[in-house]
Amino acid sequence: MEWQPDPAGLQQILQLLKESQSPDTETQRAVQQKLESLNQYPDFNNYLIYVLTKLKTEDEPTRSLSGLILKNNVKAHYTNFPAQVTDFVKKECLANIGDPSPLIRATIGILITTIASKGELQNWPELLPHLCSLLDSNDYNTCEGAFGALQKVCEDSAELLDCDALNRPLNTMIPKFLQYFKHTSAKIRSHAIACVNQFIISRTQALMVHIDVFIENLFALANDEDPEVRKNVCRALVMLQEVRMDRLIPHMHNIVEYMLLRTQDGDETVALEACEFWLTLAEQPICKEVLSGYLDRVIPVLVNNTRYSEIDIILLKGDVEEDEQVPDREEDIRPRFHKAKTHTPSEEQDGQDSSDLDDDDALSDWNLRKCSAAALDVLANVFRDDLLPNLLPILKETLFHPDWEAKESGILVLGAIAEGCMNGMVQHLPDLVPFLIKSLSEKKALVRSITCWTLSRYAHWIVQQQHELYLKPLMTELLKRVLDTNKRVQEAACSAFATLEEEACTELVPYLGYILETLVYAFNKYQHKNLLILYDAIGTLADSVGNHLNKAEYINMLMPPLIAKWNSLRDEDKDLFPLLECLSSVATALQSGFLPYSEPVYQRCVNLVQQNLQQSMASLSQPDQFEPPDKDFMIVALDLLSGLAEGLNEQIEPLVSSSNILSLLFQCMQDKMPEVRQSSFALLGDLTKACFQHVKPCIADYMPILGANLNPEFVLLPFAADFMPILGANLNPEFISVCNNATWAIGEISIQMGADMQPYVALVLNQLVDIINRPGTPKTLLENTAITIGRLGYVCPQEVAPMLQQFIRPWCTSLRNIRDNEEKDSAFRGICSMIHVNPGGVVQDFIFFCDAVASWVNPKEDLKEMFFRILQGFKTQVGEENWRRFSDQFPLPLKERLSTQYGV
């Protein structure tokens, strides 16, 4: 007997489905709880599928909602479904895939693919053959429903469809899909292309054997009247560029013509898909050859597409000029992700890239305007100044156009090409930059905001000119825009100013008073969203001018509003992230000037770390009762503690001695999350420099952990057995930063430990030598590794020198490029001590040592003396004639430098 619902139970569920469509959130919440509680009844899901497929008299939204609730139950509880419920649901899905309602067909398709993604493709062997056979049905609804379901399965389970476990169903499915490219229904044609498109990027063999037929069929549909079909054709051609350019090259002339046409398609979704073509083509080596003859046609189309449409302007509230009093909606504030601190030997922190085309984030993240501007950006990087003969006349017309929309698009284009066409633009900048600075006062807010961004793209050039000419007027106008009455302009100006700060660095020192006055005034003016960007601008200013900020008048302006915000935020408020980051930069810059504020800030950071660790432990031991914490709070707190240690140096000692930070650090260093360990090792290095007397008693506990984190591929901690290693030999960026900071901390500890480091050398040396010899290791990690090996050799030359020959060449090439500083100094002292112990270890690669020595601009006298003795000793040992032959291999600048500096 087939299952039948109990009429009273069915009525109850229908009533709940109706109530859940109520606009009242309280009602919705109550219904959610009731629906969730019904999962305890084994046949509850039978009722849901029954409403979806059998109750044709019910309204469609209610039936569809029933299916979507069932889909969520499949996601959450599928493994607990009784077998008869599973069978009933599957049977009903397949029997009703051709429902007359498009909404119900789509809902059933979603349900099928959700069941399939639960590992059910293997346990539902009839699914794919049945859906494929339904494609041949004469009934349109059945054919469309089956294709809709197949498209969703292809999207969700692409890899599974090409595996031996299922006997590679794609071998029959792809030829079948290709037959439907010529179907009379546009919807079916669209489904067919969309299904095949899922297998292009993965170069699925079942598609590759039919690639010519596929391309031929795409060309046949090039001018289809249906926008969805045209969109899928464009998408296919864009992806084929990446994987089978060889097959497209013979048709490239026609494809470019087609994409030119489609980039101007009346349907914006088609135009956007076609516009992607120029972005991917720019990455192909053949781009220049293919497009050279088309620039005069492609560029006007792309420029034209950068204009705001009427709908864009409505969505952006482009006619609202003053909105600074309007409170932000919380949903408009994007989540921010903190980037954990990375130690770089050249003392450069990674700045945030503010050069993306992020000028209208209130629209969808990606639209035709942004795509066209991005295409101009990448094409400018391919063609460089060859783009300008076609672009400059258009720019001349748009920049001085009476319509503000045209002018705005011209300014956007000017910013987009800045990087690629900089050389050719330089001659025009003396006229353009004043024009742009004047445009910062335009009546239209959207013009003012894009002008901020475009000026930031030319900041590098502006900073190099005489300040009176451009930098001062730009700063004056840009700071006015920071206080604009329009929130979008405030945001653009703040971001542009942060870029200017990064470029100008200490050049801004003469203007610090004026800058701080403006930024502090903005504190009281800004709504929530822009306040977060203001923190960034202040943090970047601190990074850029460093201890020039440490003046009583500046501190008295800057610190009160920052501390007021700090006191007003709760420990669980995510706004703490950007504020902590900002304070970290400020503390580092102010150095002793931060001392009056340090104690409460330090204590709160320690508390944040402790709370986070306690929450973590609670959620691990009682996951039902306690949510896992947001570890970003801990990471940002650790980074601010690092900033305090770096800024206050030994003055942080009393704070460390009266807290439990070192035992907390021991726990953080063993955390499963790479970023937590990364920030822990940065803090360990900074505390080692600032107050080693407190770190020293913990070294025996810390060193094995540091040693265990020296693998940049994956880190399998002995203390966290459930931490899964990353498979495959690719260097994982998360672990590179962990490894980098662990390496740096070991170097700092070595300097402080001196000869007492000896018991720990064996723990770390082999891994460090392995990293420095590994191909593809990033520059920062190589430099830090070389410095740490040098420092280990400085304090324990007898232990490290025997391995000299294994690392001397990459060691020298890594450190020849970093500027003179303390870290480089101690590393080179170490290498000299090791050469003294094991001179044979350097013989084969002595030319590299000579080159590294010559990279010093101004070594300290005693270090210079060490170099002198080694070079002269080597020359004496090999004899005048051999030295002459050896030094003849040197490039001339190296030969001259060594001769002048060291007399060899």
Side-chain angles (χ1 to χ4, degrees):
M1 265 282 287
E2 188 172 87
W3 178 88
Q4 289 297 321
D6 167 60
L10 184 59
Q11 280 313 309
Q12 186 193 351
I13 285 169
L14 280 171
Q15 185 58 34
L16 282 173
L17 290 170
K18 293 269 195 286
E19 285 174 13
S20 76
Q21 296 170 61
S22 155
D24 179 52
T25 48
E26 280 306 309
T27 311
Q28 283 178 11
R29 196 171 297 126
V31 171
Q32 279 305 113
Q33 285 172 341
K34 281 185 197 163
L35 287 168
E36 190 53 45
S37 69
L38 287 172
N39 273 303
Q40 63 190 298
Y41 298 105
D43 64 351
F44 170 49
N45 293 298
N46 282 1
Y47 281 90
L48 293 173
I49 190 76
Y50 187 88
V51 173
L52 174 66
T53 57
K54 293 266 202 273
L55 281 192
K56 315 261 174 170
T57 51
E58 271 304 323
D59 62 282
E60 288 179 15
T62 301
R63 289 172 62 198
S64 174
L65 181 62
S66 181
L68 294 175
I69 291 168
L70 175 52
K71 182 241 347 181
N72 290 338
N73 288 346
V74 168
K75 267 187 160 169
H77 311 294
Y78 190 70
T79 47
N80 302 327
F81 281 19
Q84 61 271 31
V85 172
T86 304
D87 292 343
F88 183 60
V89 169
K90 286 179 176 178
K91 184 167 101 16
E92 284 299 303
C93 282
L94 291 182
N96 292 279
I97 193 74
D99 192 281
S101 155
L103 177 63
I104 302 303
R105 291 200 298 272
T107 307
I108 293 172
I110 290 168
L111 189 49
I112 286 173
T113 193
T114 308
I115 295 170
S117 67
K118 287 302 221 178
E120 280 296 291
L121 274 176
Q122 289 92 321
N123 303 329
W124 198 358
E126 70 274 21
L127 172 66
L128 295 173
H130 184 73
L131 289 175
C132 285
S133 70
L134 292 180
L135 298 182
D136 299 327
S137 167
N138 290 328
D139 175 51
Y140 167 79
N141 291 338
T142 303
C143 176
E144 196 279 325
F147 237 136
L150 280 166
Q151 182 179 332
K152 293 180 180 78
V153 171
C154 290
E155 286 167 7
D156 287 5
S157 308
E159 281 180 41
L160 265 177
L161 296 176
D162 195 33
C163 72
D164 289 328
L166 295 177
N167 293 326
R168 300 192 182 274
L170 281 187
N171 291 341
T172 52
M173 287 165 72
I174 283 184
K176 180 121 186 148
F177 295 154
L178 289 170
Q179 293 170 18
Y180 287 85
F181 277 39
K182 298 185 171 75
H183 197 276
T184 52
S185 156
K187 189 92 167 109
I188 304 289
R189 295 196 296 275
S190 179
H191 279 316
I193 310 170
C195 284
V196 179
N197 281 358
Q198 293 304 320
F199 307 99
I200 297 175
I201 291 296
S202 57
R203 293 185 168 84
T204 306
Q205 188 54 34
L207 173 58
M208 291 302 124
V209 296
H210 297 286
I211 196 74
D212 292 325
V213 180
F214 176 44
I215 291 171
E216 202 179 302
N217 283 359
L218 286 174
F219 288 162
L221 293 174
N223 295 310
D224 200 281
E225 78 280 359
D226 184 77
E228 203 58 32
V229 173
R230 296 199 300 276
K231 187 165 85 178
N232 281 326
V233 169
C234 290
R235 186 174 293 167
L237 290 170
V238 168
M239 290 191 284
L240 283 167
Q241 271 196 124
E242 291 184 45
V243 296
R244 290 311 301 261
M245 192 61 161
D246 57 319
R247 285 293 193 269
L248 297 187
I249 285 172
H251 312 285
M252 222 45 203
H253 170 72
N254 291 333
I255 293 173
V256 170
E257 289 286 354
Y258 176 65
M259 287 302 186
L260 255 171
L261 188 65
R262 289 285 80 89
T263 307
Q264 304 167 76
D265 200 285
D267 184 299
E268 191 169 316
T269 62
V270 178
L272 174 58
E273 211 60 61
C275 195
E276 297 279 353
F277 173 81
W278 314 111
L279 279 176
T280 45
L281 180 58
E283 291 165 13
Q284 301 296 327
I286 199 168
C287 175
K288 217 166 181 175
E289 189 187 325
V290 168
L291 274 192
S292 284
Y294 289 96
L295 290 179
D296 59 331
R297 293 168 61 201
V298 173
I299 287 168
V301 169
L302 292 174
V303 171
N304 192 47
N305 280 350
T306 60
R307 280 180 79 148
Y308 280 126
S309 66
E310 282 177 38
I311 291 171
D312 290 342
I313 294 167
I314 293 164
L315 287 172
L316 285 167
K317 302 190 172 65
D319 53 343
V320 178
E321 296 302 326
E322 293 189 14
D323 62 355
E324 64 173 346
Q325 302 297 330
V326 181
D328 292 339
R329 298 185 317 161
E330 290 307 302
E331 59 266 35
D332 291 340
I333 297 169
R334 290 181 176 183
R336 288 181 85 269
F337 300 100
H338 173 67
K339 201 171 169 194
K341 182 173 176 176
T342 305
H343 180 82
T344 58
S346 12
E347 297 159 10
E348 292 162 9
Q349 280 287 3
D350 292 341
Q352 283 190 322
D353 180 23
S354 51
S355 63
D356 59 354
L357 297 159
D358 206 6
D359 58 293
D360 48 6
D361 59 350
L363 286 174
S364 66
D365 280 341
W366 197 235
N367 55 28
L368 183 58
R369 166 187 164 85
K370 282 190 180 183
C371 189
S372 302
L376 286 164
D377 187 349
V378 291
L379 289 174
N381 276 295
V382 172
F383 286 94
R384 301 282 166 186
D385 298 344
D386 294 345
L387 208 65
L388 294 176
N390 292 297
L391 187 61
L392 287 174
I394 303 172
L395 273 178
K396 212 170 205 170
E397 190 186 326
T398 51
L399 288 173
F400 301 100
H401 202 284
D403 292 347
W404 73 264
E405 298 94 336
K407 178 174 182 172
E408 193 278 346
S409 72
I411 294 172
L412 167 61
V413 171
L414 194 55
I417 61 153
E419 191 187 335
C421 300
M422 185 56 89
N423 285 342
M425 289 306 295
V426 163
Q427 58 178 308
H428 304 287
L429 291 179
D431 295 323
L432 279 172
V433 169
F435 164 78
L436 288 169
I437 292 172
K438 188 164 173 280
S439 299
L440 285 171
S441 310
E442 274 283 331
K443 195 159 101 291
K444 273 291 182 195
L446 287 173
V447 177
R448 299 199 298 279
S449 69
I450 198 62
T451 305
C452 292
W453 176 75
T454 293
L455 277 161
S456 76
R457 300 272 285 174
Y458 291 96
H460 184 71
W461 179 84
I462 291 169
V463 166
Q464 291 173 328
Q465 312 308 308
Q466 277 184 355
H467 288 198
E468 299 297 323
L469 287 175
Y470 310 109
L471 181 62
K472 276 180 81 173
L474 169 61
M475 219 161 37
T476 308
E477 290 305 313
L478 201 50
L479 288 170
K480 282 184 196 166
R481 296 290 67 82
V482 166
L483 302 179
D484 201 276
T485 52
N486 181 279
K487 292 193 288 189
R488 174 180 304 282
V489 180
Q490 293 171 0
E491 178 184 359
C494 244
S495 299
F497 199 75
T499 305
L500 187 65
E501 289 167 345
E502 284 171 351
E503 288 292 348
C505 292
T506 51
E507 305 275 328
L508 293 180
V509 171
Y511 317 108
L512 265 176
Y514 177 44
I515 293 169
L516 284 170
E517 220 171 82
T518 307
L519 297 181
V520 167
Y521 189 78
F523 259 106
N524 302 315
K525 193 175 169 68
Y526 279 13
Q527 298 287 345
H528 186 179
K529 183 183 177 187
N530 286 349
L531 205 49
L532 307 184
I533 294 160
L534 181 62
Y535 296 146
D536 264 351
I538 291 171
T540 307
L541 180 68
D543 292 337
S544 301
V545 301
N547 61 359
H548 293 282
L549 210 51
N550 188 6
K551 278 191 177 171
E553 59 180 297
Y554 300 155
I555 296 170
N556 294 336
M557 287 166 79
L558 182 58
M559 289 309 297
L562 283 175
I563 293 297
K565 288 290 175 198
W566 167 262
N567 291 331
S568 70
L569 292 175
R570 302 184 322 278
D571 278 357
E572 57 280 3
D573 194 323
K574 285 194 160 74
D575 281 7
L576 266 181
F577 297 164
L579 181 54
L580 282 157
E581 283 172 32
C582 170
L583 278 171
S584 178
S585 296
V586 169
T588 309
L590 290 186
Q591 299 176 349
S592 58
F594 198 82
L595 203 54
Y597 307 94
S598 59
E599 191 173 351
V601 171
Y602 177 89
Q603 203 44 59
R604 187 173 188 182
C605 287
V606 172
N607 291 343
L608 282 168
V609 173
Q610 188 159 333
Q611 284 166 25
N612 213 286
L613 287 169
Q614 285 165 350
Q615 286 171 290
S616 211
M617 297 290 284
S619 79
L620 283 171
S621 57
Q622 294 169 285
D624 313 342
Q625 289 183 40
F626 297 101
E627 290 275 310
D630 182 343
K631 288 189 178 173
D632 269 353
F633 283 104
M634 178 154 66
I635 295 164
V636 185
L638 289 166
D639 285 349
L640 178 43
L641 288 169
S642 267
L644 285 172
E646 201 180 328
L648 297 176
N649 216 331
E650 67 275 1
Q651 289 175 298
I652 201 172
E653 186 278 327
L655 297 173
V656 174
S657 70
S658 60
S659 73
N660 60 341
I661 187 61
L662 291 161
S663 62
L664 296 176
L665 197 52
F666 181 63
Q667 294 175 65
C668 295
M669 285 162 64
Q670 299 172 64
D671 199 276
K672 282 197 295 183
M673 190 173 175
E675 291 87 349
V676 175
R677 299 201 303 282
Q678 179 183 333
S679 290
S680 306
F681 298 142
L683 176 55
L684 174 59
D686 284 319
L687 289 176
T688 297
K689 290 171 78 171
C691 54
F692 187 63
Q693 65 271 42
H694 295 300
V695 177
K696 191 171 185 179
C698 311
I699 292 299
D701 293 328
Y702 288 175
M703 282 307 296
I705 303 176
L706 288 164
N709 279 275
L710 289 183
N711 188 338
E713 282 177 12
F714 57 79
V715 185
L716 184 58
L717 293 176
F719 340 89
D722 58 339
F723 182 70
M724 284 296 291
I726 299 295
L727 299 172
N730 294 328
L731 289 178
N732 186 312
E734 286 181 327
F735 299 129
I736 286 168
S737 298
V738 175
C739 176
N740 180 68
N741 286 6
T743 302
W744 173 69
I746 292 165
E748 290 298 338
I749 289 167
S750 307
I751 291 294
Q752 300 290 344
M753 289 283 280
D756 292 346
M757 192 68 184
Q758 189 262 329
Y760 305 110
V761 172
L763 259 181
V764 298
L765 185 59
N766 284 327
Q767 287 112 299
L768 292 170
V769 173
D770 179 49
I771 292 167
I772 206 168
N773 282 296
R774 189 189 292 252
T777 301
K779 177 173 166 285
T780 297
L781 179 54
L782 275 179
E783 291 171 356
N784 269 323
T785 305
I787 286 166
T788 296
I789 291 173
R791 290 175 149 191
L792 283 169
Y794 180 44
V795 296
C796 300
Q798 299 294 340
E799 283 71 23
V800 185
M803 293 187 77
L804 189 57
Q805 196 173 342
Q806 294 180 42
F807 61 76
I808 186 67
R809 180 187 289 199
W811 190 95
C812 292
T813 51
S814 303
L815 292 191
R816 72 180 300 282
N817 295 320
I818 73 166
R819 59 171 183 243
D820 298 4
N821 62 22
E822 286 300 317
E823 294 184 357
K824 185 173 176 177
D825 179 276
S826 54
F828 271 82
R829 288 172 192 275
I831 214 77
C832 292
S833 304
M834 288 185 271
I835 291 171
H836 183 69
V837 173
N838 176 19
V842 76
V843 169
Q844 279 183 311
D845 294 306
F846 198 69
I847 187 168
F848 291 94
F849 176 72
C850 294
D851 181 49
V853 166
S855 75
W856 276 90
V857 179
N858 199 9
K860 289 179 183 165
E861 278 310 312
D862 58 335
L863 179 61
K864 194 171 180 178
E865 181 59 31
M866 288 178 181
F867 295 156
F868 179 79
R869 284 206 302 272
I870 291 170
L871 293 168
Q872 289 290 350
F874 191 90
K875 182 178 176 181
T876 307
Q877 202 162 357
V878 298
E880 196 70 46
E881 184 54 34
N882 284 334
W883 175 263
R884 193 181 55 74
R885 277 209 297 277
F886 171 66
S887 61
D888 279 347
Q889 305 167 48
F890 293 178
L892 194 60
L894 172 60
K895 200 171 182 177
E896 287 172 355
R897 196 163 177 82
L898 290 177
S899 169
T900 320
Q901 298 275 340
Y902 302 100
V904 292

